[in-house]
Amino acid sequence: MWLSELKKALILRNFSALEHSITTMPQFDSIDQIKEAAYLLKAVQALLEEERASTLNTMNQLKNTLDFLKSSETSPQSAFNIKF
């Protein structure tokens, strides 16, 4: 049951279900189940690393866009320009 829930969460990239599955890891009955769980946990780790890299890339793109927008905006003229 736990293994199938973990597989489903991994395939659907459901991070809250992955977190729930990892925090409620059961005792396994056989060596085969342990091996399968280890394999799936490695796949979860790879997915999280991929997601982390993607998020970092997106954040860098946003930072570059904000820097560009700040550098290209003109400073507004003061409303208190008093000419004598």
Side-chain angles (χ1 to χ4, degrees):
M1 176 87 168
W2 182 85
L3 289 172
S4 57
E5 287 178 11
L6 184 62
K7 287 178 195 177
K8 184 169 76 171
L10 185 60
I11 291 169
L12 296 175
R13 293 179 170 238
N14 185 344
F15 294 105
S16 60
L18 284 171
E19 179 185 13
H20 175 70
S21 294
I22 291 171
T23 57
T24 60
M25 190 178 296
Q27 293 291 327
F28 297 105
D29 298 329
S30 69
I31 297 293
D32 290 336
Q33 287 180 341
I34 294 171
K35 287 179 182 178
E36 187 175 0
Y39 174 78
L40 289 172
L41 290 173
K42 284 285 190 185
V44 168
Q45 181 181 10
L47 173 66
L48 293 176
E49 288 293 327
E50 178 185 317
E51 192 66 26
R52 180 185 161 276
S54 174
T55 301
L56 183 62
N57 186 29
T58 301
M59 289 176 66
N60 284 334
Q61 287 176 347
L62 286 172
K63 180 187 175 296
N64 291 339
T65 302
L66 287 173
D67 289 345
F68 173 76
L69 289 174
K70 286 178 185 176
S71 70
S72 65
E73 76 181 10
T74 58
S75 58
Q77 291 186 355
S78 174
F80 297 108
N81 260 350
I82 300 173
K83 294 182 182 178
F84 293 104

